Amino acid sequence: MLALLAACGKPPSKFKSYNGPAVTQIVVNKGDRRMYLLHNQTVLKSYNIGLGNQPLGHKQFEGDGKTPEGVYFIDRFNPRSRYHLSVGVSYPNPNDAQLAEALGRRAGGDIFIHGWGPEGKRLAPKNRDWTAGCIALKDDEIEEVYAMVRGGIPIVINP
């Protein structure tokens, strides 16, 4: 009984488990503000998303507020993200870096799929596209994604 009472005061963990089909690809359709987790051709989950605060067009350089477009890979996980949890996207690729350099700018980096966290809870209800170029989900949704996704899988970000 004492253990049961002690467990009642403990907040639920943000780290979920998943034992379904492997996610083999992530597809983001920026125009529809949708993200899909796929197992081969089967959609396992889909989410409404927010984007960078300048949602139209491909990210060209650091600070432009755009979400990149193209094929990237999941390359890191941040369990201590200020946006609840976050999953890294391998932007910039060599083409992105070359484009930014041609513009006399830095390509930037730190593009993530992440939760809202405190900042998003304040900004997202007023403006769906509030990030600096990342892909934003509600906190409970990033918990699912964080559990389902593995490093190295491709993420295709379409206009």
Side-chain angles (χ1 to χ4, degrees):
M1 184 62 130
L2 188 57
L4 181 61
L5 289 174
C8 289
K10 186 176 178 184
S13 174
K14 65 182 177 180
F15 300 105
K16 308 299 179 204
S17 61
Y18 174 73
N19 61 2
V23 174
T24 58
Q25 182 180 40
I26 300 170
V27 175
V28 173
N29 292 333
K30 288 173 53 175
D32 296 336
R33 304 299 191 281
R34 297 290 294 174
M35 183 175 84
Y36 303 90
L37 303 185
L38 301 168
H39 173 76
N40 299 325
Q41 300 301 315
T42 303
V43 174
L44 300 173
K45 296 288 280 188
S46 68
Y47 302 94
N48 288 316
I49 58 170
L51 300 170
N53 58 39
Q54 299 296 320
L56 299 178
H58 175 57
K59 184 167 194 60
Q60 295 183 324
F61 52 83
E62 184 174 56
D64 67 6
K66 295 179 186 277
T67 301
E69 297 171 358
V71 179
Y72 300 93
F73 297 89
I74 298 304
D75 65 353
R76 61 204 183 277
F77 295 82
N78 184 357
R80 292 181 179 84
S81 171
R82 76 184 222 199
Y83 300 104
H84 194 62
L85 292 169
S86 59
V87 177
V89 176
S90 65
Y91 174 87
N93 64 30
N95 291 336
D96 298 321
Q98 187 176 30
L99 173 63
E101 186 177 328
L103 296 170
R105 305 290 294 266
R106 293 178 27 165
D110 287 338
I111 299 297
F112 287 88
I113 302 166
H114 62 65
W116 282 6
E119 185 177 351
K121 287 176 183 164
R122 184 173 43 83
L123 296 174
K126 298 175 194 146
N127 182 6
R128 179 180 204 168
D129 299 321
W130 58 272
T131 77
C134 295
I135 299 161
L137 308 163
K138 294 178 180 175
D139 289 350
D140 62 325
E141 295 170 333
I142 191 61
E143 290 175 3
E144 291 177 349
V145 172
Y146 198 90
M148 294 174 74
V149 169
R150 300 291 170 251
I153 67 166
I155 175 169
V156 179
I157 306 173
N158 298 309

